[in-house]
Amino acid sequence: LADAIQHAPSMESIDLGFTDIPEAGIVALAEAIHHAPLVKSVDIKCTEVTEGGFAALAAAVKHAPCIQNIDLSCTKISETGLVKMAEAVRTSKAMQSLGLSKNVISKDSVGVLAEVMQC
């Protein structure tokens, strides 16, 4: 799949929500996003993403010029993953939406998120 994404230059949207992707698959997806310059939307809601997966996705968002939306709803994102994604979103020039619904986010994590997202 990651190979196909890299070789589909006109691909704008990737929806892998509700799938059982292992960490290696998420990391490969993130790497593929680096080579798919027109991808605007990534949806991986309701998948189990590990710390390594969040780190790889955050790096991809930082370097993907067109990503506008990423849906991480129901992914059990940790505070570390949340901070990495928030920092990536903050540095992105195109990002418009970060979906985090149905995640358990502590009051401390919300504070960290707000702090990181401030311009």
Side-chain angles (χ1 to χ4, degrees), residues 46-93:
C46 296
T47 61
E48 290 191 28
V49 182
T50 62
E51 292 299 323
F54 285 120
L57 286 169
V61 168
K62 283 182 180 179
H63 300 290
C66 293
I67 290 188
Q68 297 174 350
N69 306 296
I70 188 162
D71 191 346
L72 302 173
S73 300
C74 194
T75 56
K76 299 180 183 176
I77 192 167
S78 67
E79 184 172 329
T80 303
L82 184 64
V83 168
K84 287 180 191 231
M85 290 306 303
E87 288 171 347
V89 168
R90 183 176 180 195
T91 61
S92 170
K93 294 184 181 358

